[in-house]
């Protein structure tokens, strides 16, 4: 059958193709079932905002490897930096043979993260590992055990990561017991704001819930840190009221509780600033970073107050692969590209286009209960118009249909009824509109 032709997207209507079929069979036979897959997609090559599968179908990428590719697939400067690095050394291991890219990236991260104080950085390999190390440093510095995260938050799949995470299925079901001294406080959900409250009243109410939490669940004197996503990612791209974030931040200050901003998904330009904390006027004590830091190389970081970062004695934090040279040179090239091409500015304008487009669609399709986001961290939430109940089946069908038409999308939210957009910020307006038109077509079909 003929491929469905547009300017960028080109997919055959009889997916999956023969090579994909074969690989799917081998995947089922040899790869652990628990490593989930969002789509029956085997990638052959990728460039910018386009993915080509092993059968030659071309897709527009609205998922960006779950927010890892703000700088795009294979940015040329990043590829060049990695190739040059490969010709010199691959991995002397920072704990054995130090190398300049680690120090240069640590310095750069201290310069670009919010916070007008002396900072240091620790480099690691994955997001969950950054979260683990931020918690270790916070406990060591404060000499307190407790860590507070928030309902619908996501912080990774390690034991501590899932303990801080607040979605049971699929992230933690029957995998406990969870790490002790971890607590969940309520996080706002503006879509579900009780009707009589104004936005500001709702924000104050949420802060008062946090104050009550410190009376009912955990004494502030026992808390080392609060870890918060400034905008929730897996939880459904929920943007909290600024006065809630600042309210919690101020309470932390008053009680000597460290504030850790988990910017693993919000960071590196996605929300219209390099880091989302800037939107909320906060200067976190520690920030966890990963995903788009290095255009897909496995790298993460904890950056923050020098005194907290120095709380651990030599050898207490780090790891064999932490701050791999390939990741460091990639990250330096990514940051350079973001500054040169003003990718945070691009995120802001992309976000406006996305919200405008879906606001118009929502006016005609009441199943779109909300269009929300900050910068290009945008999402739509689907609910049954009759009673406002979540519509996860429709979201799954829409994502599936879009994939069949050549757009790679991701769901989110505890009910699975949110569709989130994480396109590479290098996606052109023309590509963006082609993808959105495909989504519109799919939505109208369904
Ligand atoms: C906010 C946040 N924290 C932590 C993580 C965990 O990162 P990783 O999957 O690299 O361990 C993620 C991943 O989605 C995330 O979005």
């Amino acid at each position: 059958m003929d491929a469905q032709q547009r300017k960028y997207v080109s997919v055959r209507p009889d997916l999956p193709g023969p090579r994909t079929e074969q690989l799917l069979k081998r995947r089922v036979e040899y790869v652990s079932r628990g490593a989930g897959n969002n789509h029956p997609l085997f990638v052959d090559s990728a460039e910018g905002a386009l993915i080509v599968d092993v059968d030659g179908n071309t897709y527009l990428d609205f998922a960006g490897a779950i927010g890892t590719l703000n700088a795009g697939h294979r940015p040329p400067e990043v590829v060049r930096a990695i190739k040059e690095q490969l010709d010199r050394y691959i991995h002397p291991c920072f704990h054995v043979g130090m190398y300049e890219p680690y120090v240069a990236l640590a310095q750069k991260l201290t310069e670009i993260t919010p916070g007008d104080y002396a900072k240091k950085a620790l480099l690691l390999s994955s997001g969950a590992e950054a979260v683990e190390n931020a918690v270790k440093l916070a406990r060591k510095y404060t000499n307190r055990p407790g860590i507070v995260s928030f309902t619908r938050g996501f912080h990774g799949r390690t034991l501590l990561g899932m303990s801080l995470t607040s979605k049971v299925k699929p992230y933690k079901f029957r995998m406990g017991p969870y790490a002790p001294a971890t607590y969940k406080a309520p996080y706002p959900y503006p879509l579900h704001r009780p009707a009589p409250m104004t936005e500001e009243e709702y924000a104050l109410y949420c802060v008062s819930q946090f104050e009550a939490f410190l009376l009912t669940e955990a004494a502030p004197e026992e808390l080392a840190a609060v870890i918060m996503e400034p905008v929730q990612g897996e939880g459904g791209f929920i943007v909290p009221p600024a006065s809630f974030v600042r309210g919690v931040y101020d309470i932390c200050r008053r009680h000597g509780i460290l504030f850790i901003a988990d910017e693993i998904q919000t960071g590196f330009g996605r929300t219209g600033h390099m880091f989302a904390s800037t939107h909320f006027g906060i200067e976190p004590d520690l920030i966890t970073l990963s995903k788009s830091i290095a255009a897909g190389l496995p790298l993460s970081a904890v950056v923050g107050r020098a005194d907290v970062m120095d709380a651990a004695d030599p050898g207490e934090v780090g790891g064999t692969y932490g701050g791999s040279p390939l990741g460091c040179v990639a990250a330096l090239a990514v940051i350079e590209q973001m500054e040169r091409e003003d990718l945070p500015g691009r995120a802001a304008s992309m976000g406006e286009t996305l919200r405008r487009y879906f606001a118009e669609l929502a006016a005609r399709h009441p199943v779109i209960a909300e269009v929300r986001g900050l910068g290009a961290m945008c999402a739509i939430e689907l609910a049954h118009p009759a009673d406002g109940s979540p519509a996860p089946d429709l979201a799954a069908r829409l994502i599936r249909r879009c994939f069949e038409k050549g757009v790679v999308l991701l769901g989110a939210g505890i009910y699975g009824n949110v569709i989130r957009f994480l396109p590479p910020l290098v996606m052109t307006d023309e590509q963006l509109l082609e993808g959105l038109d495909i989504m519109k077509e799919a939505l109208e079909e369904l």
Side-chain angles (χ1 to χ4, degrees), residues 75-86 325-326 329-333:
E77 295 300 325
V78 174
V79 172
R80 187 169 317 138
I82 295 170
K83 284 183 173 166
E84 278 171 16
Q85 183 57 46
L86 274 175
L326 296 174
V329 296
L332 286 163

Side-chain angles (χ1 to χ4, degrees), residues 95-386:
H95 307 304
V96 178
M98 291 182 281
Y99 39 89
E100 185 173 350
Y102 190 120
V103 180
L105 179 61
Q107 180 179 351
K108 188 72 188 171
L109 291 174
T110 64
E111 289 163 5
I112 63 172
T113 43
D116 192 14
Y117 37 74
K119 278 178 260 166
K120 292 192 179 189
L122 170 71
L123 303 182
L124 305 140
S125 307
S126 70
E129 207 186 350
V131 169
E132 296 266 347
N133 280 279
V135 166
K136 282 170 70 175
L137 290 165
R139 283 184 170 157
K140 184 99 189 191
Y141 179 81
T142 57
N143 203 18
R144 301 173 181 180
I147 306 291
V148 179
S149 57
F150 291 87
T151 49
R152 290 185 314 277
F154 183 85
H155 301 286
R157 290 178 172 86
T158 56
L159 177 59
L160 179 61
M162 78 167 172
S163 302
L164 298 172
T165 289
S166 174
K167 182 174 179 180
V168 182
K169 291 182 183 177
Y171 298 129
K172 43 203 290 186
F173 186 53
R174 292 195 184 137
M175 288 183 177
Y178 310 120
T182 54
Y183 308 90
K184 306 281 176 318
Y187 189 92
Y189 203 150
L191 176 63
H192 296 163
R193 166 168 57 94
M197 286 188 194
T198 64
E199 281 176 27
E200 198 46 34
E201 282 167 353
Y202 181 60
L204 294 177
Y205 166 72
C206 294
V207 175
S208 74
Q209 279 192 311
F210 186 74
E211 278 165 339
F213 164 88
L214 295 180
L215 299 174
T216 56
E217 300 298 326
E221 299 86 343
E222 290 189 323
L223 293 179
V226 157
I227 181 163
M228 183 193 283
E229 293 164 272
V231 177
Q232 286 190 327
E234 301 297 312
F237 282 24
I238 296 166
V239 187
S243 40
F244 168 76
V245 179
R246 275 202 302 272
V248 171
Y249 175 80
D250 289 342
I251 292 168
C252 288
R253 284 275 169 285
R254 250 186 282 135
H255 294 290
I257 303 166
L258 299 180
F259 190 98
I260 305 171
D262 184 343
E263 294 241 22
I264 286 168
Q265 196 157 154
T266 52
F268 293 97
R270 175 57 49 188
T271 65
H273 279 298
M274 199 64 152
F275 300 103
S277 294
T278 306
H279 288 283
F280 299 96
I282 57 167
E283 296 187 338
D285 300 293
L286 298 176
I287 303 184
T288 50
L289 300 171
S290 190
K291 290 201 185 272
S292 278
I293 189 173
L297 275 264
L299 186 77
S300 65
V302 185
V303 189
R305 274 172 44 192
D307 52 348
V308 183
M309 294 300 301
D310 275 342
D313 289 326
E316 287 183 342
V317 291
T320 306
Y321 287 113
S324 120
L326 296 174
C328 291
V329 296
L332 286 163
V334 163
I335 296 166
E336 222 262 311
Q337 178 192 354
M338 292 200 158
E339 291 175 342
R340 189 179 62 243
E341 296 178 5
D342 185 22
L343 290 188
R346 170 70 188 139
S349 68
M350 189 184 258
E352 277 167 31
T353 306
L354 283 165
R355 281 188 292 278
R356 206 178 321 115
Y357 193 95
F358 282 104
E360 277 172 27
L361 265 187
R364 278 184 288 126
H365 299 284
V367 72
I368 302 179
E370 190 177 47
V371 180
R372 59 175 177 252
L374 195 56
M377 192 162 179
C378 287
I380 55 174
E381 177 153 350
L382 305 183
H384 297 289

